Amino acid sequence: MKRIRIKEQYCIGCRLCEIHCIAAHSTYKYDLIRTFKHEATRPKPRIVIEEAGETCFALPCRQCTEAHCVRACITGSMKKDPQSGMVFNDPERCVACWTCIAACPYGAIVREGTHSKLAVKCDLCGDNPQCVIHCPNEALVFEDVTEEGDMG
C-alpha cells in the first residue's frame, strides 16, 4: 500500500504542498494562477504544515490500517478501499456530523468550508500526490509502506 511519508528533517515550512493541494482540488485543476486569482471559494488544503519554533513538518492523512475515522463515521461515508488501503469520504453520504474529524488522532480531516457539509481529507490526488511532486526539498515521499512500517 502506498502512502505519503514525511521526512521532517527536510521540511522548510514553505507551504508549497498546501498550495499545490489547493490547486489540485480546485475548479482550475493544477493551474495556480487561476486557482488563486479567479476561484471564488478555494478548497482547503488536505495537507497542512505544523510548526513549532524551527521545527516544521507536513501532516497528510496517514491512511491508517485501523482508521478511527472509518469506525467513527455514523453514515458509512468514510470508507477504506480494500484494494489500495486508501481511506476516503463519500460526499453523497456525509451528513456533517464531524465525528471523523473528532476521531482522527492526527487532525488530518477538515471541514471543506464554512457552509459546507463535507469533511475532506487527503485523497492522494488519485495516486498522483501533487504535494509530493512539488515539494522542493523532497520532504514528502510517496512510497509503499509495509505493515510493520504502518503509520496508523
Side-chain angles (χ1 to χ4, degrees):
M1 145 187 333
K2 288 187 110 174
R3 296 185 183 161
I4 297 172
R5 185 171 59 87
I6 303 105
K7 295 192 287 187
E8 64 272 358
Q9 68 272 26
Y10 297 119
C11 182
I12 59 171
C14 68
R15 299 188 182 276
L16 280 174
C17 54
E18 291 179 349
I19 290 167
H20 284 281
C21 180
I22 289 168
H25 295 95
S26 75
T27 305
Y28 304 104
K29 296 231 182 277
Y30 314 118
D31 187 330
L32 294 179
I33 303 294
R34 285 188 176 168
T35 296
F36 287 90
K37 288 198 174 201
H38 304 297
E39 186 93 15
T41 7
R42 275 183 239 129
K44 283 196 174 175
R46 297 168 186 210
I47 186 170
V48 295
I49 297 294
E50 290 290 325
E51 295 182 77
E54 292 185 21
T55 303
C56 56
F57 58 90
L59 185 64
C61 174
R62 296 183 180 210
Q63 310 296 341
C64 301
T65 301
E66 298 297 322
H68 299 289
C69 59
V70 173
R71 280 198 314 263
C73 183
I74 63 172
T75 64
S77 173
M78 277 291 174
K79 301 175 184 181
K80 184 169 187 70
D81 183 287
Q83 299 286 59
S84 67
M86 187 177 88
V87 178
F88 65 95
N89 189 18
D90 177 355
E92 299 298 315
R93 298 187 75 169
C94 186
V95 296
C97 68
W98 314 126
T99 56
C100 57
I101 292 172
C104 179
Y106 305 105
I109 305 171
V110 295
R111 188 175 173 176
E112 176 59 38
T114 316
H115 303 293
S116 175
K117 73 161 201 118
L118 185 60
V120 294
K121 54 173 286 315
C122 178
D123 60 2
L124 301 173
C125 294
D127 219 25
N128 191 24
Q130 296 300 298
C131 59
V132 173
I133 291 167
H134 295 285
C135 181
N137 282 5
E138 298 178 2
L140 299 171
V141 181
F142 190 50
E143 64 185 9
D144 282 317
V145 177
T146 61
E147 288 303 313
E148 67 252 10
D150 189 6
M151 296 183 271

